[in-house]
Amino acid sequence: MDQPVSELLRTRGLRSTAQRRAVLTALRGHAHSTAAELEHRIQSADDGSGTSGTSPRLSRQGLYNVLEDLSRAALIRCIEPAGSPARYELRVGDNHHHLVCRSCGRIKDVDCSVGRAPCLEPGDDAGFSIDEAEITWWGLCADCRPATAQRPPRH
């Protein structure tokens, strides 16, 4: 997301509102954020005046409306790992996948390793025209693996 947020919104046919700009800005450098994390980040953001908490006010419903608008415009991507709240990221359009730690919930991006989207083909497409594959690998991250090894086995 190298172009200014306002310009990016306009190129996707969206008005450049303070709320949309705040959400996109809150996602920068914070991939896989939940709506609650974004809400907190926006509420405590500095709008450039040196005063925290002066960002545009967004109700919870307003935030979800903005997230839906940005998702529909393909400016953000929503992922929903099982047992986790929806998470949002700026990385869109490249058909990447995710690793999720079962212990701490950390999520890491994994580049598609075979060809172009959807990069995986089902045995039977049942007549669908497939344009994307979404894969989630589950396990333990490097930080959690040693801690898990220390625990006695469950019986």
Side-chain angles (χ1 to χ4, degrees):
M1 194 164 75
D2 294 333
Q3 50 185 157
V5 175
S6 295
E7 185 180 316
L8 189 60
L9 287 161
R10 286 189 202 101
T11 63
R12 296 299 173 94
L14 295 174
R15 286 182 334 152
S16 178
T17 65
Q19 292 81 5
R20 288 174 178 160
R21 290 190 308 270
V23 170
L24 287 172
T25 301
L27 272 169
R28 282 188 174 159
H30 300 281
H32 314 119
S33 293
T34 64
E37 290 166 342
L38 289 169
E39 182 177 42
H40 174 73
R41 211 170 289 125
I42 291 166
Q43 288 176 352
S44 59
D46 178 342
D47 68 354
S49 67
T51 309
S52 130
T54 57
S55 291
R57 302 305 282 164
L58 260 174
S59 67
R60 179 64 59 98
Q61 185 59 51
L63 174 61
Y64 280 108
N65 291 345
V66 168
L67 291 168
E68 180 64 26
D69 291 344
L70 297 175
S71 293
R72 251 192 251 123
L75 287 171
I76 65 172
R77 179 179 176 192
C78 176
I79 63 168
E80 299 182 58
S84 172
R87 296 176 176 273
Y88 300 89
E89 62 184 344
L90 291 171
R91 188 173 172 184
V92 297
D94 66 350
N95 197 217
H96 69 280
H97 308 296
H98 297 94
L99 293 165
V100 180
C101 180
R102 290 186 189 278
S103 182
C104 70
R106 177 181 295 150
I107 300 174
K108 298 294 286 178
D109 290 340
V110 177
D111 291 331
C112 192
S113 62
V114 180
R116 58 179 174 59
C119 82
L120 298 170
E121 300 290 335
D124 178 6
D125 66 14
F128 281 68
S129 173
I130 299 170
D131 58 20
E132 182 178 9
E134 187 172 308
I135 307 299
T136 303
W137 288 277
W138 295 86
L140 294 174
C141 69
D143 292 339
C144 292
R145 214 173 33 242
T148 305
Q150 303 285 331
R151 289 189 221 147
R154 292 184 187 177
H155 296 284

